Amino acid sequence: APSYPRYTREEVGRHRSPEERVWVTHGTDVFDVTDFVELHPGGPDKILLAAGGALEPFWALYAVHGEPHVLELLQQYKVGELSPDEAPPAPDAQDPFAGDPPRHPGLRVNSQKPFNAEPPAELLAERFLTPNELFFTRNHLPVPAVEPSSYRLRVDGPGGRTLSLSLDELRSRFPKHEVTATLQCAGNRRAEMSRVRPVKGLPWDIGAISTARWGGVRLRDVLLHAGFPEELQGEWHVCFEGLDADPGGAPYGASIPYGRALSPAADVLLAYEMNGAELPRDHGFPLRVVVPGVVGARSVKWLRRVAVSPAESPSHWQQNDYKGFSPCVDWDTVDYRTAPAIQELPVQSAVTQPRPGAAVPPGELTVKGYAWSGGGREVVRVDVSLDGGRTWNVARLAGEKAPPGRAWAWALWELTVPVAAGAELEIVCKAVDSSYNVQPDSVAPIWNLRGVLSTAWHRVRVSVQG
């Protein structure tokens, strides 16, 4: 067998364009696929998403790559192997983010420190479950390094008692429960709000949303075990604290109403698995909260403490962020006490294919996207227009059928329509949920200073080749 040169992942990552050659890895092999890019059956744009990194998460989206002839085809482009001692670079002691995990180069990064990134939009609707490496990442602080054997979850029980649970105890004492749930950041599609008037926040496109099958224990089971009752009179909240903390030691925190935490139908999890694997570090290893149907900000990662309180979490992110306001409120007049914390999110949808500005061939055009609503409300219909909303078609929906009121996961939709050469299209989508909530048609009336709850009709302009 020929002997091949050894490369580090960083060296592979420098080859991301036809000018620098396009390199990818599969297993421990390195391939130069520059000459194959134009021949790729999925189109050059799809293969370039993997440039400089691993093929596996992309291949996971498309079953055809599992065929043996695909691997044979790839072998002819092999140029090297990954260095066996692919050791992580020595951390810089001064940088609190130096211990962050490696990330997939296909992610679209909105900020590096803390790390916030979304999957490429054109991949979002390709698979019902988002591969872990491509799941959107929303970090507020450095990623904590947790030693699983010494990890303990602290649950502050009634009457001053404290429960301390190891990972083994969580797994052995409580039944495992699985739930397929979509998580969405409050700031998903914020970039569209910024185009109306500047807002404060990360410039998310349509990818601050992803779906996974989560495995873990019910929060309800843990709270009942700690001695809490099924119901408490008056207003009570379940507060969460993460192991991620700011330089002053203040942890990320959030809370949800007690009734949701204890409801058997709300499926709130303390999750230790994501899509059948242990939680990745960026997604809360070793334990996180998953609150289905609720804004992602409440699904606290790297969970260290759970407490029941008559008040919401005192955390900055519960009190002074993740709230919606009128378009007339600005930073001089905002009073966070006047608005409720976002919990269930409104109905949402977006077009993932084609991409804005694309030139598409005449004939049949397939439009794809996702749709989701908060609170377990099922998406019952997605309407798609090619002329900016003057005429409409109904898209086909695909997903998993859920019990009424527990539609925690998105629906993927698609529509195939004839398009004429030379036409200019304004593709619009709007979703309708089981309460007949529908998306507003424009951004300006729902504009707010933090750019949250951006759910106006998603508009994508494309031209048909003449």
Side-chain angles (χ1 to χ4, degrees), residues 71-138:
L71 268 174
E72 280 171 40
L73 177 72
L74 188 61
Q75 282 306 316
Q76 64 197 52
Y77 296 101
K78 181 167 171 177
V79 292
E81 292 173 354
L82 283 173
S83 174
D85 48 274
E86 255 294 67
D92 171 357
Q94 304 311 303
D95 179 2
F97 295 95
D100 273 22
R103 275 100 184 198
H104 195 280
L107 291 169
R108 301 276 190 261
V109 179
N110 291 317
S111 80
Q112 200 67 53
K113 297 178 182 186
F115 188 75
N116 289 284
E118 57 192 293
E122 54 269 52
L123 293 182
L124 273 170
E126 293 299 333
R127 228 182 97 177
F128 183 66
L129 296 180
T130 313
N132 292 355
E133 301 94 325
L134 295 176
F135 200 99
F136 87 95
T137 300
R138 173 70 178 106

Side-chain angles (χ1 to χ4, degrees), residues 182-464:
T182 297
L183 291 185
Q184 180 179 213
C185 177
N188 192 30
R189 301 179 57 201
R190 180 181 280 126
E192 293 162 60
M193 280 207 174
S194 303
R195 293 199 277 276
V196 172
R197 235 162 68 219
V199 297
K200 202 161 150 188
L202 296 161
W204 297 106
D205 185 31
I206 62 170
I209 182 169
S210 300
T211 300
R213 180 129 182 104
W214 307 95
V217 302
R218 288 186 177 92
L219 173 61
R220 161 192 166 83
D221 292 347
V222 172
L223 290 172
L224 292 173
H225 178 76
F228 287 104
E230 290 268 353
E231 286 180 36
L232 282 173
Q233 293 308 304
E235 185 186 344
W236 291 86
H237 302 268
V238 177
C239 302
F240 309 116
E241 278 180 14
L243 286 158
D244 49 335
D246 67 18
Y252 182 83
S255 58
I256 60 172
Y258 188 84
R260 182 178 288 276
L262 267 291
S263 164
D267 290 320
V268 182
L269 281 196
L270 303 182
Y272 45 72
E273 276 179 15
M274 180 177 181
N275 290 327
E278 71 176 19
L279 283 179
R281 285 188 62 209
D282 262 331
H283 298 290
F285 177 82
L287 192 74
R288 71 170 299 167
V289 186
V290 173
V291 190
V294 163
V295 65
R298 313 298 166 219
S299 286
V300 174
K301 300 192 280 192
W302 312 291
L303 184 65
R304 75 174 187 194
R305 178 170 173 242
V306 176
V308 173
S309 163
E312 285 184 280
S313 166
S315 166
H316 161 84
W317 289 279
Q318 188 82 22
Q319 300 290 337
N320 297 314
D321 198 352
Y322 297 124
K323 295 183 175 187
F325 293 94
S326 167
C328 66
V329 173
D330 61 30
W331 289 105
D332 299 325
T333 59
V334 67
D335 177 356
Y336 271 95
R337 290 168 304 188
T338 61
I342 299 167
Q343 293 280 352
E344 295 183 3
L345 284 171
V347 63
Q348 173 72 287
S349 69
V351 176
T352 59
Q353 185 183 311
R355 297 298 293 134
V360 300
E364 299 254 274
L365 172 67
T366 298
V367 185
K368 292 184 179 185
Y370 65 76
W372 182 81
S373 191
R377 287 178 286 276
E378 183 186 0
V379 170
V380 295
R381 200 180 79 231
V382 174
D383 299 326
V384 181
S385 171
L386 298 189
D387 54 18
R390 284 187 294 282
T391 62
W392 296 91
N393 304 275
V394 178
R396 287 188 307 283
L397 299 180
E400 289 181 359
K401 194 69 187 152
R406 291 162 84 174
W408 308 127
W410 62 13
L412 300 180
W413 56 264
E414 85 177 47
L415 174 75
T416 303
V417 273
V419 293
E424 295 293 322
L425 309 177
E426 185 185 0
I427 304 171
V428 177
C429 66
K430 62 179 173 78
V432 182
D433 73 16
S434 53
S435 297
Y436 284 101
N437 296 309
V438 67
Q439 297 170 251
D441 62 352
S442 56
V443 178
I446 58 167
W447 183 94
N448 59 86
L449 75 177
R450 272 292 273 122
V452 292
L453 308 167
S454 183
T455 57
W457 298 355
H458 187 222
R459 297 168 189 268
V460 170
R461 288 185 172 79
V462 301
S463 51
V464 185

